Amino acid sequence: MAPAATSESASEHTPLDRLDPLDLPEGHPFGPHNLPYGVFSPASSDEAERRVGVRIGDHVLDAGGAAAALGSPHAPVLARPTLNSLLASGRTTWSDVRRALTSWVTDPAHRELVRPFLHPLSSVTLHLPFEVADYVDFYASENHASNLGRLFRPDEEPLKPNWKHLPVGYHGRSGTVVVSGTDVVRPSGQRKAPADPAPVFGPSVRLDIETEVGFVVGVPSRQGTPVPLASYRDHVFGLCLLNDWSARDIQGWEAVPLGPHLGKSFATSISAWITPLEALDAARVSPPERTVPLLPYLDDSSEPAGYDLRITVTLNGQVISEPPFSGMYWTGAQMLAHMTVNGASLRTGDLYGSGTISGTEDNERGSLIEITWNGQQPLDLPTGKRGFLEDGDVITLSAWAPGPDGTRIQLGEVTGRVVPGT
């Protein structure tokens, strides 16, 4: 789409309130080639009045309202307070709705009907975009798993024997998934340092982040029926950025012999925007070469499902890491296949996370426990030294992916501020 009224010369002669929000510069990262979905409340309404929205530039399109005005058959799945109806509608409907939305925001014939349903992004309240059913978190980065192995098991091989045979994961708590911008209360719990004679109770002193990508399930599956790799795109609607906050001291004491519990369950932040898989077709890549043969249900050699996502992590506005998602050993399709291979069913609104994303370089580590090497090498920031998070710290994850014809796809960011516990 060619640049129009947003150019400098046009804005010099046209009042800002008369510029058409659909006249975006060519290649805008939230242009018609992107169109992520969210849920919002307009400034003029009560927050309880929630609507499905689609981001276009710096505006949100009331998708249900526009669909009704245009007489679209998709109005029933879009005129909802959450994305769940759209998620459940399936891949054919996802594609049909996307084509319709693209037409509504690009075809001049629709502009007069569509324009009243555009809201400035700065004027709306964004909400958790879907009702989360189950939440599973994986451990899919070889670099992250190896770093933690070297930290905590220096006399052993960094990876456990099972790690390259299956995507390791655990079942998490869905009720504490929160939308970007929600404050994160510092959790309390039991903790015990190796030299302590007994555990103590109190606020976590080793609060950390985990830079992740979340996968949002749309179409459910029957219990007892595994979902094969080839059906990944029939079930997964889209991706979002995810920060799985972690209390490392609570986690370290409780996770023997079982997995994470209170050290993880207090909060998981996701973006307010879900990017559909279709928008990311140009970003698909092959994962790193696997060094161990895979069992047939995980063998993705015929259709690899990695994604080239360029992620940036900031702490109080300072860039502290840029982890590359393209280097993840296990893909979203393999995680889904493994999650269901025992017959566990999918539900609309299931969310599963990739686990911490870390690259091979020091500036590509996706958690503070790696960046500061368990606090031994603190970050030196303008706001002070950091081994782990302090109250008042603000973490933001942002990312982009290659789009069609050299464009960029911007993912919705995830921001959270740490506040003291009560």
Side-chain angles (χ1 to χ4, degrees), residues 177-256:
V177 176
V178 297
V179 71
S180 174
T182 304
D183 286 345
V184 174
V185 178
R186 182 178 296 274
S188 290
Q190 286 194 34
R191 61 180 192 269
K192 181 183 178 298
D196 291 345
V200 297
F201 182 88
S204 170
V205 296
R206 294 164 61 84
L207 186 59
D208 200 356
I209 62 166
E210 292 197 340
T211 304
E212 304 192 24
V213 166
F215 298 80
V216 181
V217 172
V219 175
S221 65
R222 294 177 56 187
Q223 189 170 356
T225 304
V227 175
L229 288 170
S231 297
Y232 161 71
R233 291 171 68 88
D234 294 325
H235 289 273
V236 173
F237 175 78
L239 307 182
C240 63
L241 292 178
L242 183 153
N243 183 354
D244 193 32
W245 305 85
S246 300
R248 300 297 185 186
D249 42 0
I250 296 173
Q251 179 185 356
W253 172 236
E254 73 180 358
V256 180

Side-chain angles (χ1 to χ4, degrees), residues 159-173:
L159 298 178
K160 290 292 188 179
N162 66 344
W163 198 91
K164 289 194 174 182
H165 291 276
L166 57 85
V168 174
Y170 72 95
H171 197 94
R173 185 178 181 89

Side-chain angles (χ1 to χ4, degrees), residues 108-409:
H110 297 315
R111 289 204 171 188
E112 290 306 313
L113 282 174
V114 168
R115 194 177 290 113
F117 297 100
L118 290 166
H119 301 260
L121 182 62
S122 59
S123 72
V124 305
T125 300
L126 298 175
H127 304 285
L128 193 67
F130 60 98
E131 294 177 0
V132 182
D134 286 307
Y135 170 52
V136 173
D137 198 29
F138 284 93
Y139 194 48
S141 165
E142 180 179 1
N143 298 311
H144 174 68
S146 296
N147 284 337
L148 293 196
R150 294 185 188 100
L151 267 172
F152 297 114
R153 300 184 303 274
D155 299 326
E156 302 178 23
E157 287 295 315
L159 298 178
K160 290 292 188 179
N162 66 344
W163 198 91
K164 289 194 174 182
H165 291 276
L166 57 85
V168 174
Y170 72 95
H171 197 94
R173 185 178 181 89
S174 61
T176 50
V177 176
V178 297
V179 71
S180 174
T182 304
D183 286 345
V184 174
V185 178
R186 182 178 296 274
S188 290
Q190 286 194 34
R191 61 180 192 269
K192 181 183 178 298
D196 291 345
V200 297
F201 182 88
S204 170
V205 296
R206 294 164 61 84
L207 186 59
D208 200 356
I209 62 166
E210 292 197 340
T211 304
E212 304 192 24
V213 166
F215 298 80
V216 181
V217 172
V219 175
S221 65
R222 294 177 56 187
Q223 189 170 356
T225 304
V227 175
L229 288 170
S231 297
Y232 161 71
R233 291 171 68 88
D234 294 325
H235 289 273
V236 173
F237 175 78
L239 307 182
C240 63
L241 292 178
L242 183 153
N243 183 354
D244 193 32
W245 305 85
S246 300
R248 300 297 185 186
D249 42 0
I250 296 173
Q251 179 185 356
W253 172 236
E254 73 180 358
V256 180
L258 296 181
H261 185 202
L262 300 184
K264 297 277 194 176
S265 63
F266 58 96
T268 300
S269 299
I270 66 169
S271 167
W273 300 104
I274 310 301
T275 304
L277 290 189
E278 266 191 272
L280 295 168
D281 281 346
R284 295 175 67 182
V285 294
S286 297
E289 182 180 358
R290 276 61 176 268
T291 55
V292 172
L294 299 177
L295 291 173
Y297 80 97
L298 291 173
D299 184 356
D300 66 346
S301 55
S302 62
E303 188 177 2
Y307 289 96
D308 181 11
L309 308 180
R310 322 290 178 87
I311 302 172
T312 298
V313 184
T314 64
L315 171 52
N316 298 335
Q318 186 83 16
V319 175
I320 61 171
S321 182
E322 294 183 306
F325 191 66
S326 58
M328 297 295 275
Y329 193 89
W330 297 105
T331 70
Q334 290 171 314
M335 293 178 228
L336 186 74
H338 185 67
M339 189 165 65
T340 61
V341 73
N342 66 345
S345 57
L346 298 174
R347 295 194 289 168
T348 297
D350 279 356
L351 172 68
Y352 62 98
S354 63
T356 303
I357 304 158
S358 291
T360 57
E361 305 301 320
D362 290 352
N363 65 342
E364 295 176 340
R365 296 171 176 174
S367 61
L368 286 172
I369 198 169
E370 296 170 88
I371 294 170
T372 70
W373 209 244
N374 201 23
Q376 299 171 36
Q377 302 167 16
L379 285 169
D380 193 1
L381 303 175
T383 50
K385 291 185 179 295
R386 292 291 188 280
F388 293 92
L389 295 174
E390 302 287 344
D391 291 345
D393 282 349
V394 176
I395 288 285
T396 298
L397 315 182
S398 58
W400 64 273
D405 302 319
T407 59
R408 288 189 178 191
I409 300 285

Side-chain angles (χ1 to χ4, degrees), residues 1-8 10 22-27:
M1 185 169 61
T6 51
S7 67
E8 183 178 348
L22 296 177
D23 286 334
L24 298 175
E26 188 170 352

